[in-house]
Amino acid sequence: MLTSLAVPAAIPSPSADFSSISLGPLTIHAYALCILAGIVLALWMTSVRWKRRGLPADAVWDIAIWAIPFGIIGGRLYHVVSSPDAYFGPDGDLALIPQIWRGGLGIWGAIALGAVGAWIGCRRANIKLSTFADAAAPGVLLAQAVGRWGNWFNQELFGGPTDLPWGLQIDPNNNNFPAGAAPGTLFHPTFLYESLWNLAGVALLLVLDKRFRLRGGRLFWLYAAIYTLGRTWIEMLRIDDAEMITIFGLTQRLNVWTSLVMLLVSIGMFIFLSIRAKNTPEASLYLDGRDNNVSSEDHKSETDFENMKSASHPRANLAETKNEASKPQRPDDSGPAT
């Protein structure tokens, strides 16, 4: 087994001094800053995509006000349930549950409860939940890519020992350093794997949405499929404490089984919605069914095309004008009867 001393290219972990910044009585944690940066980027990308669809600019912020806090609470609850020993075990501490800056936000809880918050916001804004989900999907994945770097600052959620040159160094004095491992042992940087996978997923979602104009929830379920596909194998590399579940004689982490189930559900929903989209006209983006099927950028493209077509046939336009002028004038039927 190679060690960090033998691999100059190994990824170092930041020291404990960089995990938080003290400003008088206020302590700012790097983990929280990564989560906050991800949220800001997600809101920015979602708002840009929102405007391109011709939707009310303020509505996305009204929905986000509900979705974000619900998502944070849901993410924390899922983490507590999936890793209960730190809170309910023999040496557990219930006071740690609200301390999210220490790390621990489960994406499945964040998506589930965040969707509830988004549904409330969408109802108030008269927007379909699928409309918001499709617009927000790439931004959510971008937020996950950035948020994962919080695990790097906390030196947590890494994988098993590795001989790869990009192995991650962990401080032997850190509480997360595996018992029995030799100092200098390198570990799989699963935070980096997931961050890079998510960034590639963002690019793929944007390209596919531009090419196929995925609506009606299809882009969201495609996001879920891409994410869970990567999360399944990345989760299997991790060695942190987690709830273990045995199914059909196979024991795996709870998050592995959850990822597999969500992957199958996501693929199924994407196929179902794609088939339905071929057989039915595109639905309105609004709850009240008003006619807003064509986004503003699509409407602009159609208008530009019609203008170009008219400009490219000036003679045809002139002939039509002459024909109209040469037609005999019919008597005005609105005049008095004779």
Side-chain angles (χ1 to χ4, degrees):
M1 178 65 64
L2 296 180
T3 65
S4 58
L5 297 178
V7 186
I11 301 174
S13 288
S15 66
D17 297 335
F18 289 94
S19 63
S20 62
I21 303 173
S22 296
L23 300 176
L26 179 64
T27 301
I28 302 176
H29 296 266
Y31 180 90
L33 290 177
C34 290
I35 298 296
L36 181 60
I39 291 174
V40 171
L41 287 174
L43 286 173
W44 165 76
M45 179 171 285
T46 302
S47 64
V48 171
R49 291 169 52 78
W50 194 262
K51 292 176 182 178
R52 288 177 178 174
R53 282 162 168 74
L55 294 162
D58 295 338
V60 67
W61 305 104
D62 295 337
I63 299 171
I65 288 175
W66 288 91
I68 292 173
F70 270 68
I72 293 175
I73 294 173
R76 187 57 174 177
L77 290 177
Y78 181 88
H79 168 74
V80 171
V81 171
S82 60
S83 303
D85 290 345
Y87 311 99
F88 305 104
D91 299 322
D93 185 0
L94 294 178
L96 295 175
I97 292 178
Q99 300 181 32
I100 62 174
W101 55 86
R102 292 176 175 266
L105 289 174
I107 184 60
W108 308 121
I111 293 294
L113 209 55
V116 174
W119 177 80
I120 296 174
C122 286
R123 297 288 297 181
R124 294 167 61 90
N126 191 39
I127 302 290
K128 286 186 176 180
L129 179 59
S130 60
T131 300
F132 178 77
D134 287 336
V140 171
L141 196 54
L142 177 61
Q144 292 174 243
V146 175
R148 271 300 169 199
W149 285 84
N151 301 140
W152 179 61
F153 282 99
N154 282 357
Q155 298 193 44
E156 62 182 1
L157 306 186
F158 45 84
T162 180
D163 291 333
L164 296 171
W166 55 79
L168 178 67
Q169 301 175 13
I170 299 295
D171 184 357
N173 298 320
N174 190 285
N175 293 332
N176 296 321
F177 193 85
T185 300
L186 299 180
F187 302 91
H188 279 288
T190 50
F191 83 92
L192 180 61
Y193 297 163
E194 187 168 332
S195 182
L196 294 176
W197 178 272
N198 291 348
L199 289 175
V202 172
L204 182 60
L205 286 175
L206 294 175
V207 170
L208 292 178
D209 189 33
K210 184 176 181 180
R211 174 66 178 83
F212 299 105
R213 195 169 179 267
L214 301 173
R215 300 291 187 269
R218 285 185 291 164
L219 192 70
F220 171 80
W221 288 110
L222 184 59
Y223 142 76
I226 292 172
Y227 174 71
T228 52
L229 179 62
R231 181 63 184 267
T232 298
W233 67 268
I234 293 172
E235 188 72 30
M236 295 176 71
L237 294 174
R238 285 169 41 173
I239 58 174
D240 54 286
D241 293 335
E243 192 73 9
M244 306 299 291
I245 304 294
T246 301
I247 300 179
F248 300 122
L250 180 62
T251 301
Q252 281 292 344
R253 299 160 64 92
L254 173 61
N255 284 336
V256 172
W257 293 118
T258 305
S259 298
L260 285 172
V261 170
M262 287 304 302
L263 174 60
L264 296 176
V265 171
S266 302
I267 294 174
M269 287 298 299
F270 178 78
I271 294 174
F272 168 74
L273 292 175
S274 297
I275 294 174
R276 190 175 70 172
K278 289 183 178 180
N279 300 326
T280 59
E282 185 173 341
S284 170
L285 303 178
Y286 294 80
L287 284 173
D288 61 7
R290 76 177 83 162
D291 187 15
N292 283 278
N293 298 340
V294 181
S295 67
S296 60
E297 61 181 354
D298 293 336
H299 178 70
K300 182 177 182 297
S301 299
E302 292 177 1
T303 303
D304 291 345
F305 177 73
E306 292 297 332
N307 292 338
M308 290 172 60
K309 193 166 64 171
S310 298
S312 63
H313 298 285
R315 294 184 179 179
N317 295 338
L318 181 57
E320 290 177 3
T321 303
K322 289 182 178 179
N323 290 337
E324 291 294 330
S326 62
K327 288 181 181 179
Q329 300 297 318
R330 298 180 59 185
D332 187 359
D333 295 337
S334 62
T338 58

